């Protein structure tokens, strides 16, 4: 049985639909990451699971029990807020003990739970300090500790790292990954707009867009086999290049004649019905390689960015090829202003028809 | 300033005879006052920069530094003079007067601490002290509690702002005006007549057989007077505390909801502790108002029926008994009582600002 199940969940503010038709099952022990552009409703969905927002339609089940109208504290969830949301007038110990005190747990058990959480998070030296005497990273650990002591079925993280500086963000990200490993039975839902966090932490990623779920899958599934153009461009940086063209040969492999003049061969199979269809060919910048034979794309390099490990080539805009970017390995000198031809192996060439991938058509 | 104030008095008729309209007189005064201020700052700075320490010659650099050392004092001087004449001097003059006695036919004689011992021997003074302590405990506590209650209850409802405006309105009424209103509330007519006093009307309605002149019931009449000030100060407390409540981070409240706290626990364990300093500032500010309370007692009972308070006692001695010595002595007592609270209040307010 799944730990948490969303069925046809919807959220409306008056006449405005924010989310609709959300269907998702989360298994025990998973770390699910909600990603999406800002305003896509990912935080709203998390807050609906937490019980801070009303669910306008559909059902939320946790361990098989419908939770739509159950008060937040009785849903078996704990939440870590972006701004930490520590109680400023309570010490670290009191912050972590608050929920247990409210639940009228015996003092000895509260102490034990707090000590255990403090030990996991290395907060023991700070237990009697007020939050204002802690650094950002320590505050975030206290916020996580406050969730741990409650021993919830599901942990909810609402952009927990976005208030930290870059170095601390990486360190805390690794800490969260370790924490997850140390508690294999716990289920976590994590909201972020940072795709690096999503790729590194998630057991499965849920991409939210256009009021619904765009695709659910493991990080590499989303990277290698995106279902649609949105996911293709949202996951990976720089975004996947999309080049319009027409299918000119079908079969086990598909050949597309591109508007920019090139030819692309994809390992995706097509049928004779697809002949002549308008498609977008998707190639990730890092899948491009220089070639002497028939290229997918040939153009003048307008601008380069040498990062040492890779070199980014920005092609000058031409008809049928807007802002195409290629990422070549290593250092590539003196390419700016020259004409470069690039191609990709058929396995790395994606085909999209009407925005949807042609890979998994039934 | 002087002219503006005079224009309300009979002296204005003198001005009318001069042929000048009071409004023009007022505008003229404002113009003179403002240009006088501007002129003072401009000319005094010019004097320092151009004549006293000119920024030229062999000592130009030194002169600029010296001019800049003097400049803050130029700006502070008017304020310091005004504070000195209108605040510091009266304090010391009152202290001096409290140690002297008026002599019939003019002049004064040195009295030492006689005024104080005379005052301490008077039962009316101790009655005033007792009543002031009562006011001190009841009014700030009730005003702050009601203010907090209203601020919390009106926070989330649609007509909350209307309710708040209504509760704030007494703040705009003078103490004397409020006293007149409440005197009507406490008004008593013979039981067989229609009551214009709301309190007696309610009392009769619920089966009372005789009306009471509430303000003459010793001890309890103090509370009837206090209600007037609570009625006024609740609005003040509400506005400040409402702003403080809004300043509490929403997430801490949501976190408390997730932690299972009920609305009462959220209010008392999460919200109130977070606005504790504001509550203390409101409390002490009202305390200071209470220590100086005069108008309400003066207008409603004038200290009769055991409702005397220190400020009215002072007024009695100073202007009715014409005893400047005891009057000043009681003024010193009020000041001594207010000062520590004032210092504490200012400190708290500063701490909150940081």
């Amino acid at each position: 049985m799944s730990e948490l199940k969303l069925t046809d969940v919807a959220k409306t503010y008056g006449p405005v639909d924010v989310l609709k038709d959300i269907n998702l099952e989360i298994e025990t022990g998973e770390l699910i990451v909600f990603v999406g552009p800002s305003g896509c409703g990912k935080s709203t969905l998390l807050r609906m699971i937490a019980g801070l927002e009303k669910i306008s339609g559909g059902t939320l089940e946790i361990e098989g029990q419908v939770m739509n109208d159950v008060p937040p504290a009785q849903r078996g969830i704990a939440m870590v807020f972006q701004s930490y949301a520590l109680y400023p007038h309570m010490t670290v110990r009191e912050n972590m003990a608050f929920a247990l005190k409210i639940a009228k747990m015996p003092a000895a058990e509260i102490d034990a739970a707090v000590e255990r959480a403090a030990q996991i998070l290395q907060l023991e030296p700070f237990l009697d300090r007020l939050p204002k005497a802690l650094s950002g990273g320590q505050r975030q650990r206290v916020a996580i500790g406050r969730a741990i002591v409650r021993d919830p079925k599901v942990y909810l993280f609402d952009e927990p790292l976005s208030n930290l500086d870059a170095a601390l963000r990486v360190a805390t990200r690794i800490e969260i990954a370790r924490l997850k490993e140390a508690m294999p039975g716990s289920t976590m839902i994590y909201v972020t707009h940072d795709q690096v966090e999503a790729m590194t932490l998630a057991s499965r990623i849920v991409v939210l867009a256009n009021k619904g779920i765009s695709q659910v899958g493991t990080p590499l599934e989303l990277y290698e086999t995106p279902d649609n153009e949105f996911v293709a461009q949202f996951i990976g940086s720089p975004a996947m290049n999309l080049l319009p063209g027409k299918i000119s040969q079908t079969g086990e492999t598909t050949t597309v004649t591109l508007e920019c003049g090139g030819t692309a061969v994809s390992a995706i199979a097509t049928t004779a019905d697809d002949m002549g269809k308008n498609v977008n060919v998707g190639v990730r910048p890092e899948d491009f390689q220089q070639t002497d034979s028939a290229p997918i794309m040939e153009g003048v390099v307008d601008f380069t960015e040498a990062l040492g490990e890779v070199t980014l080539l920005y092609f000058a805009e031409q008809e049928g090829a807007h802002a195409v970017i290629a990422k070549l390995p290593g250092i590539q000198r003196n390419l700016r202003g020259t004409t470069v031809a690039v191609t990709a192996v058929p396995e790395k060439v994606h085909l999209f028809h009407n925005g949807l991938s042609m890979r998994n058509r039934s | 300033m002087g002219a503006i104030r005079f224009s309300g008095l009979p002296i204005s008729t003198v001005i009318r005879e001069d042929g000048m309209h009071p409004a023009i007189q007022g505008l003229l005064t404002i113009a003179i006052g403002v240009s006088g201020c501007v002129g003072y700052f401009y000319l005094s700075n010019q004097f320092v920069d151009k004549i006293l320490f000119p920024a030229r010659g062999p000592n130009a650099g030194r002169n600029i530094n010296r001019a800049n050392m003097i400049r803050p004092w130029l700006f502070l001087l008017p304020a310091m003079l005004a504070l000195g004449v209108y605040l510091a001097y009266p304090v010391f003059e009152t202290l001096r007067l409290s140690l002297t006695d008026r002599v019939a036919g003019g002049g004064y004689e040195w009295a030492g601490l006689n005024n104080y011992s005379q005052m301490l021997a008077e039962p009316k003074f101790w009655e005033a002290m007792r009543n002031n302590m009562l006011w001190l405990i009841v009014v700030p506590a009730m005003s702050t509690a009601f203010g907090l209650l209203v601020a919390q209850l009106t926070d989330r409802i649609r007509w909350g702002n209307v309710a708040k405006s209504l509760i704030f309105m007494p703040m705009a009424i003078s103490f004397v005006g409020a006293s007149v209103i409440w005197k009507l509330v406490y008004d008593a007519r013979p039981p067989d007549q229609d009551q214009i006093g709301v309190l007696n009307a309610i009392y009769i309605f619920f089966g009372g057989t005789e009306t009471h002149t509430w303000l003459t019931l010793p001890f309890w009449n103090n509370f009837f007077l206090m209600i007037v000030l609570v009625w006024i100060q609740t609005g003040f407390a509400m506005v400040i505390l409402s702003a403080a409540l809004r300043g509490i981070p929403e997430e801490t409240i949501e976190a408390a909801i997730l932690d299972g706290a009920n609305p009462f626990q959220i209010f008392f364990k999460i919200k109130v502790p977070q606005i504790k300093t504001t509550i203390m500032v409101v409390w002490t500010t009202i305390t200071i108002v209470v220590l100086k309370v005069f108008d309400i007692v003066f207008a409603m009972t004038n200290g009769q029926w055991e409702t005397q308070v220190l400020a009215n006692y002072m007024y009695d001695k100073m202007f009715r008994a014409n005893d400047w010595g005891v009057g000043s002595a009681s003024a010193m007592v009020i000041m001594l009582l207010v000062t520590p609270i004032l210092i504490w209040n200012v400190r708290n307010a500063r701490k909150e600002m940081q």
Side-chain angles (χ1 to χ4, degrees), chain B residues 85-310:
Chain B
V85 171
Y86 294 109
L87 276 175
Y89 165 72
V91 169
F92 289 105
E93 180 64 7
T94 308
L95 180 63
R96 192 184 66 83
L97 285 176
S98 76
L99 301 173
T100 62
D101 268 331
R102 188 196 289 263
V103 177
Y108 65 90
E109 62 183 15
W110 201 246
L113 294 174
N114 280 350
N115 289 320
Y116 288 89
S117 52
Q118 184 194 336
M119 181 176 72
L120 295 181
E122 272 187 38
K124 204 68 183 166
F125 170 76
W126 290 108
E127 178 195 313
M129 281 292 267
R130 182 205 67 178
N131 287 343
N132 255 81
M133 289 304 141
L134 266 182
W135 280 75
L136 208 60
I137 295 163
V138 175
V139 176
M142 285 179 70
S143 305
T144 312
F146 282 142
L148 190 58
L149 191 71
V150 175
Q152 168 68 16
L153 292 182
T154 56
D155 198 26
R156 295 283 163 91
I157 46 179
R158 217 163 354 109
W159 47 274
N161 281 333
V162 177
K164 273 194 215 166
S165 324
L166 288 175
I167 290 166
F168 186 72
M169 237 171 239
M171 275 292 281
I173 299 174
S174 72
F175 283 15
V176 174
S179 305
V180 171
I181 293 171
W182 280 86
K183 243 185 144 165
L184 288 172
V185 170
Y186 298 138
D187 189 87
R189 295 281 161 94
D192 49 336
Q193 289 181 23
D194 281 343
Q195 298 295 324
I196 63 163
V198 174
L199 200 55
N200 270 316
I202 294 170
Y203 184 74
I204 297 288
F205 180 80
F206 282 107
T209 48
E210 52 181 317
T211 54
H212 291 278
T213 45
W214 305 102
L215 292 176
T216 62
L217 301 174
F219 190 68
W220 299 111
N221 51 7
N222 279 307
F223 295 95
F224 291 126
L225 297 187
M226 288 176 206
I227 288 170
V228 182
L229 194 53
V230 172
W231 182 67
I232 293 172
Q233 292 293 325
T234 296
F236 163 76
M238 173 200 71
V239 168
I240 309 278
L241 294 173
S242 166
L245 280 177
R246 295 248 164 109
I248 297 175
E250 187 64 26
E251 278 95 350
T252 60
I253 292 156
E254 290 183 340
I257 294 172
L258 291 177
D259 277 346
N262 64 37
F264 286 98
Q265 288 166 326
I266 289 175
F267 183 68
F268 287 109
K269 292 189 172 167
I270 304 295
K271 286 185 170 179
V272 170
Q274 289 196 58
I275 59 167
K276 206 171 57 192
T277 47
T278 312
I279 292 176
M280 289 325 288
V281 168
V282 167
W283 187 296
T284 47
T285 306
I286 297 174
T287 301
I288 291 164
V289 173
V290 169
L291 271 173
K292 298 185 299 184
V293 67
F294 165 72
D295 327 41
I296 294 170
V297 177
F298 180 79
M300 290 182 80
T301 62
N302 200 7
Q304 299 173 86
W305 309 296
E306 295 178 28
T307 57
Q308 188 65 295
V309 291
L310 282 173

